[in-house]
Structures are given as structure tokens and as C-alpha cells.
Amino acid sequence: MFASEEIMSFKSYQNRANLFVKEYLLADSLIPYISVISGMLACKMVYELTQLIGSNYFKIYSSFSKFQRIEWNNRAISTVHAIFITTVSLYMVFCSNLFSDYQSTELITERSSSLSTFALGVSVGYFIADLGTILWFFPSLGGYEYVIHHLFSLVAVAYSMLSGEGQLYTFMVLISETTTPGINLRWYLDVAGMKKSKAYLINGVVIFISWLVARILLFIYMFYHVYLHFDKVEQMHTFGRILVIVVPLVLSVMNLVWFAKIIKGLRKTLAKRQ
């Protein structure tokens, strides 16, 4: 009898908890705010966890300067975010029916879902946290190019999250985050004194290929997609149209500049091995 009452009490509590999550935490109007806060809290959690693991399992961590430790932790955050948002973006763009031309009569530039909005909100939380860290320790963690990149990304992703407009193109651009883990791994190999290792060389080749695909070719595909659906883009709000065209253009220029540096660095590395 007592066990039966306990089970019923637990089920009643479970139903109330599910109702709370469904009607409050996952309510469409609250998803943007819950997701942004979740993204910022996740950044804090990864930072603390990385610091704990680094100090206990990596001897080199204790020899770092204050700013090197901060950058070590910060790069772990950007790596986790990159894996998360790249996975979601690839699913949304290439696997989900949300943006399929044949699944909905709704304008492709106005489609969104709870999942897509939540994912963008997590990304907004990351960009806020990372931009704040960069500015706080400026210019130790990155110069003006990083500030410009994060500002453009933050504004574009936040607008898409809040308005629901242009989410397809936002996810296309966010796929470019797939290059971040490789860039961060290169920094880790560098500070570990492994610049002459085979892993460092392989890393450089992987960065070159991933950058070419995710930040050059994919952007060309995105601009072509915008061209094909420009009649839909024209129906967006003015600010949304500006973001869909201007932000990718600015990021494309920055990607080309960084790509030139990657090619130069890879050539230098290969020359040393000959």
C-alpha cells in the first residue's frame, strides 16, 4: 500500500514537472531567452571543467602564464560550441525537412522551429560570452578582426533567432564553425612544443581542406542559393535582407584573408620538411 502511494506520488510529481517544462521552459516565447542563458551557462561550465582537467591531467598547464591558461580554457569552449552548432547546422540544412522546397508552402526565408530557434539561442549565448572574454582581455585573446567577426555573427544570429527570418542562411554560415576544432588543435600542438611533429603537419592539411570546403565553397553555394530564392529574400524585412547579404560578404572577405594566411603557413611548414 505504501509503495503504491509512493509510485502515484512520483508519477504526479513527474506529470507536474513535464507540464512545467512544456508550458513554461519550452514555450515558444521563452525559448530564445532560455537558450541564450543555457548557452552562456554551458560556456561557464566548459571553462571550469577545462580548467579542472588541465590543472590535474596536463603537466604543461601549470607552466602556462595567466593568459595562456585563459586561452586554453577559452579554446575548449569554442571547440565544444563548434561541434554542437556544426552538427545542428548540417542537420538543419541537409537532413531536416524544415527548409525543403517541397515540404511547405511557407516562404523558405520565414521558416523556423523550436529546435532551430533553441540552437541559434545557444550560439548567441556563446558569442556573447566569447566576445565579452575577448574584450575583457583585449587584445590578448584576439585583435580587432575577432571583435568584428563576433559582432557581425552575434547580430545576425540573434536577429534570426528572434525574428525567425533567414534561419536557413544563418545555419549555412554557421557550418563554417567546423574549422574551429582544427584551428584550436593547432594552437594546442603549438604550445605543447609539437610544431615539428607529424600531427602538426596533418593538422595543417586538414585545416586547409576544411577551410576550403566550409568557408569558401559553402559560401559560394550559399550566395547561389540566395540568388535562386532572391524573390523570397526580397520579402524579408529590410534589416533581415541586409544581414543575409552584407554579413556573409564581410565574413567571406575575412575568410579569404585568413585562407591566404593558411596557405602561406602550410607552404612554410612543408618547405621546412623538405
Side-chain angles (χ1 to χ4, degrees), residues 197-215:
S197 67
K198 189 175 181 180
Y200 193 82
L201 176 61
I202 294 173
N203 172 261
V205 174
V206 171
I207 289 175
F208 170 80
I209 295 172
S210 62
W211 198 282
L212 176 63
V213 174
R215 291 186 180 261

Side-chain angles (χ1 to χ4, degrees), residues 27-60:
D28 288 345
S29 60
L30 291 179
I31 285 178
Y33 310 103
I34 296 295
S35 58
V36 171
I37 294 172
S38 298
M40 296 177 72
L41 289 176
C43 288
K44 175 64 175 175
M45 182 182 70
V46 173
Y47 186 95
E48 296 295 337
L49 186 60
T50 304
Q51 189 174 41
L52 179 65
I53 294 174
S55 59
N56 285 286
Y57 296 99
F58 292 91
K59 293 181 180 180
I60 193 174

